[in-house]
Amino acid sequence: MALRGYREEDLVSNRASLLIHGGTEDERRAWAEEAARNFGVPLTEVRQAPELAGALRQPNGVVFIADAGKLPLDAQGLILRCLQMQEERPKVVVGVSGTAMAALTRGTLREDLHYRLHQAQVDLQTDGLRDALKRRWAQQAEALAVRAAALKAA
């Protein structure tokens, strides 16, 4: 993976908001779910512009925007304002189908939002990353199952 700032492993566990692109929507959602589990907070998924303002007002949690390219540019401006001005804000995981550069070229992703997140990007098409994530998620699922079985037995 070409590093732009943070490593992928660090982005799962720190509060930095990020742009995640490539892969499938389910893979991007699974990544956001892992971040939410890591913090022990709920995951809020945003698909429509009217849902965005309320989701961004929460002081903690993880907000997953499935595909920012499907939101109008003014709604993407709300994301940008949240990242720039809100002191207490959720971790915002901005998904984009395809590559971020393609979304910029098409004009479906704001340049200023992309610039704000340029140090925190995860490209799921990077060689080996998808396989590493699948292994990590399988290990986490196994650990959760063991923990649930222990709680049930107790």
Side-chain angles (χ1 to χ4, degrees), residues 44-110:
T44 303
E45 186 168 342
V46 173
R47 294 190 161 278
Q48 307 270 329
E51 304 167 345
L52 190 59
L56 293 175
R57 272 192 225 108
Q58 60 186 342
N60 55 24
V62 175
V63 174
F64 172 60
I65 296 139
D67 190 351
K70 292 182 180 176
L71 292 176
L73 296 179
D74 61 331
Q76 292 179 35
L78 289 175
I79 301 167
L80 183 63
R81 276 192 295 283
C82 171
L83 297 176
Q84 290 176 326
M85 301 170 104
Q86 243 176 267
E87 191 169 317
E88 290 193 26
R89 66 173 180 264
K91 179 178 182 83
V92 181
V93 179
V94 178
V96 175
S97 61
T99 67
M101 292 311 292
L104 281 171
T105 303
R106 285 191 311 267
T108 58
L109 180 64
R110 287 176 60 127

Side-chain angles (χ1 to χ4, degrees), residues 16-37:
S17 294
L18 71 137
L19 180 64
I20 186 166
H21 54 92
T24 65
E25 184 176 316
D26 288 337
E27 289 171 327
R28 294 189 300 271
R29 182 180 303 102
W31 197 99
E33 288 170 347
E34 179 184 0
R37 271 193 314 273

